Amino acid sequence: MSASSNPDHLEPAVAAPSAGAAIAAPRGSLASHATLIGALTLVSRVLGLARESVAASFFGAGAIWSAFTVAFTIPNLFRKLLGEGALSAAFIPLYAQAVRQDADPAGKSADRLASRDFALASVNLLGIILIAITIVGEIALVLIAWRVRLRADYLLAVKLTAVMLPYVLLVCATALLGAILQVHHRFAAITATSIVLNLCLIVAIVIAARRFDLTTEAGQTRGVYWLSVAVLVAGVAQIAVLLPSLSAVGFRFRPILHFMTPQVRRMLKLTLPVALGAGVLQLGVVLDKGISFLLAGVDGHTHFTALGHCIRYPLLEGAAARLNWAQFLYQFPLGVFAIALATAIFPRLSADAMDRDRGRFRAILRQGIEASLYIGLPASVGMIVVRYPAVRLLFERGNFTPTDTGWVALSTGIYSGAIWAFSLLQILNRAYYAMHDTITPLVWTAINLGLNLVVEIPLLFTPLGEAALPVGTLVSFSLQAIVMTWLLHRRVAGLELRASVRRIGCMVIASAAMWVVCIAVQSLAWWPRGEGKVVQAGQLSMLIVLGAAVYFGVTLALGLGSPLLAMRRSRGRGG
């Protein structure tokens, strides 16, 4: 963020937009916004695949890379909790309303700068909170490393977390500044920030491979410290990417002390249950990472003691790293489409939810639900079908072994069964937040966490091993998606989701047809067989092309048009 030449000046520094500048993009451009976000996210995800492929080759699924994976989870926890989660979810609806109020020519002059005051106060408040969290966290980590006797890989995870903890401030600031841009319909810059992170880490991994001997434990240890510093560099670069767009919408940062305005107090009131909900959800993520890390045996450590009993570690070394790669694969289609659609739809839902006539809100929400399943259902089936050739092609080289491939592919297949649920929940949660209901997502996220643990913990000690964690995720998120859809249908009068049942049924039939054809074709004589990368690339390409052709062909034959095209056609009808 650029500092003012007079940092002590207390004047709010977000320029008031011209009439209609904020919610100024054409209302029917939702599909084009989702397409733009999806395209940029696709670039980011491809770079992310390259990053993870390079990391798998050089570091493998060992204890050191697992320690880095777990340590990097901590700043990402706060990104989800504060940046993209609680504050953004509460901030965007209030900021969208403030911007609309600014653009109203009939508004009182005293209220015409509501958005600039609110945005600046929110950014300053977040900065103070994050600085405090970083200081307290660093002190706690130093004390743990100094006073607690830890296994070598546990200690490494603590030290790496201490190095990367300042990234919390950078990435959360990026998320909130990006929320400002979202309301102004400027999605490109915030979506590009993940591209910056991936590029920085790819370059850092390549440099680490040239500087250190990554075939040794000492070399890998130095390498992950190098990458931890690169994460901080990437955080600074991400904020720098947003500055031109922020300047274009009139945002000028200045430190202020009077940030507890009535709007900020209202945002904090809305933030608390969202933060609790995001905290419960992210607690589940951290618990899964922690369980897979803490319950994995390493050389010299095959058993642990609990309640006076000596228990064998149920998981193999590298479980945390392998689960991280499996999560990355199933999140690939989720990030490219579902999150892109939800990001584009949220400002629209927020602006329309408070209208006396919720006609536009209902229409956009219904289209969003159908669109999320239109891609989410075949993505679930598709990722299950391609999991083995995808893992072999992307990761199996260098220090990544065939055994690692088997575990990652198994976990990817189980996680992928819930892609449709993750996609749907992206829309459902934002619909509740747009209506200023933060309690329902909180309650069901807490239920999700409890169900997840009840399902997965007993299964850890079965032959499923680390794949038990994806099973818990699949069961809990599928149930949450179904129940929250039913509750929303009952709550929003006139939503009429029954009208979507036939269309969703067509999607299910088309997805099943895609699965049958993709499985059948692999038994034919001309199916490419072998272990080389060219063969694996051929298998993956054929399954993707054939699966897409079957799915879209069947949906067209059943008379089902694309929900995204329906969104485009609604452009001229105001929603």
Side-chain angles (χ1 to χ4, degrees), residues 242-397:
L242 299 181
L243 294 181
S245 295
L246 289 167
S247 178
V249 300
F251 184 88
R252 299 289 186 277
F253 176 78
R254 290 189 179 93
I256 60 172
L257 298 178
H258 59 286
F259 48 75
M260 291 302 293
T261 65
Q263 275 188 308
V264 170
R265 289 191 180 94
R266 186 182 180 197
M267 180 184 71
L268 291 176
K269 183 178 179 181
L270 291 171
T271 294
L272 181 59
V274 179
L276 290 173
V280 172
L281 178 60
Q282 293 308 308
L283 177 61
V285 174
V286 172
L287 282 175
D288 279 0
K289 289 282 180 68
I291 289 171
S292 61
F293 185 56
L294 296 175
L295 295 185
V298 297
D299 292 340
H301 297 273
T302 59
H303 293 75
F304 66 97
T305 301
L307 301 176
H309 297 279
C310 185
I311 304 173
R312 185 176 183 85
Y313 284 107
L315 307 182
L316 301 176
E317 179 180 341
R322 288 189 293 269
L323 281 172
N324 186 66
W325 283 314
Q327 290 168 352
F328 190 89
L329 284 176
Y330 89 79
Q331 288 172 358
F332 187 91
L334 182 68
V336 170
F337 179 79
I339 295 176
L341 175 64
T343 300
I345 208 174
F346 191 29
R348 288 278 302 276
L349 289 174
S350 300
D352 294 336
M354 296 300 108
D355 286 351
R356 190 170 295 180
D357 176 14
R358 284 187 174 180
R360 287 194 299 261
F361 175 80
R362 291 192 297 268
I364 291 298
L365 177 56
R366 193 164 50 244
Q367 290 175 342
I369 290 173
E370 291 182 6
S372 68
L373 293 174
Y374 183 71
I375 299 297
L377 287 169
S380 283
V381 174
M383 281 302 303
I384 293 172
V385 169
V386 306
R387 65 191 188 282
Y388 274 105
V391 174
R392 290 193 188 106
L393 176 65
L394 293 170
F395 302 132
E396 193 179 296
R397 65 177 64 84

Side-chain angles (χ1 to χ4, degrees), residues 391-413:
V391 174
R392 290 193 188 106
L393 176 65
L394 293 170
F395 302 132
E396 193 179 296
R397 65 177 64 84
N399 290 322
F400 193 99
T401 67
T403 300
D404 296 326
T405 294
W407 282 112
V408 173
L410 176 60
S411 295
T412 299

Side-chain angles (χ1 to χ4, degrees), residues 92-304:
I92 287 179
L94 295 176
Y95 184 59
Q97 291 175 17
V99 169
R100 173 177 284 186
Q101 181 181 354
D102 288 350
D104 183 5
K108 296 179 181 179
S109 59
D111 296 331
R112 295 296 296 280
L113 300 181
S115 64
R116 78 175 194 180
D117 293 352
F118 179 44
L120 187 61
S122 300
V123 170
N124 276 270
L125 175 62
L126 179 64
I128 290 174
I129 293 173
L130 294 174
I131 290 172
I133 288 174
T134 302
I135 293 172
V136 172
E138 292 288 5
I139 293 172
L141 290 167
V142 169
L143 290 175
I144 291 172
W146 180 36
R147 302 293 296 178
V148 181
R149 291 189 60 185
L150 297 171
R151 213 171 74 180
D153 54 334
Y154 297 172
L155 180 60
L156 177 61
V158 171
K159 291 180 177 179
L160 293 175
T161 303
V163 174
M164 289 187 280
L165 194 59
Y167 184 63
V168 169
L169 175 62
L170 300 170
V171 74
C172 290
T174 297
L176 187 59
L177 293 173
I180 294 173
L181 294 177
Q182 286 180 42
V183 174
H184 291 275
H185 298 280
R186 291 176 176 266
F187 299 100
I190 184 60
T191 310
T193 56
S194 56
I195 296 176
V196 172
L197 174 64
N198 286 326
L199 284 174
C200 287
L201 290 182
I202 289 172
V203 171
I205 292 171
V206 172
I207 293 175
R210 298 178 68 89
R211 293 190 59 184
F212 312 116
D213 182 4
L214 298 184
T215 61
T216 67
E217 182 177 320
Q220 286 200 5
T221 301
R222 287 193 289 269
V224 291
Y225 276 113
W226 172 265
L227 291 182
S228 298
V229 174
V231 168
L232 301 181
V233 174
V236 175
Q238 286 176 306
I239 291 180
V241 166
L242 299 181
L243 294 181
S245 295
L246 289 167
S247 178
V249 300
F251 184 88
R252 299 289 186 277
F253 176 78
R254 290 189 179 93
I256 60 172
L257 298 178
H258 59 286
F259 48 75
M260 291 302 293
T261 65
Q263 275 188 308
V264 170
R265 289 191 180 94
R266 186 182 180 197
M267 180 184 71
L268 291 176
K269 183 178 179 181
L270 291 171
T271 294
L272 181 59
V274 179
L276 290 173
V280 172
L281 178 60
Q282 293 308 308
L283 177 61
V285 174
V286 172
L287 282 175
D288 279 0
K289 289 282 180 68
I291 289 171
S292 61
F293 185 56
L294 296 175
L295 295 185
V298 297
D299 292 340
H301 297 273
T302 59
H303 293 75
F304 66 97

Side-chain angles (χ1 to χ4, degrees), residues 19-51:
I23 314 231
R27 295 189 59 86
S29 62
L30 174 61
S32 60
H33 288 154
T35 302
L36 171 64
I37 297 169
L40 291 174
T41 305
L42 176 61
V43 173
S44 172
R45 291 286 171 165
V46 169
L47 288 174
L49 282 176
R51 180 195 79 202

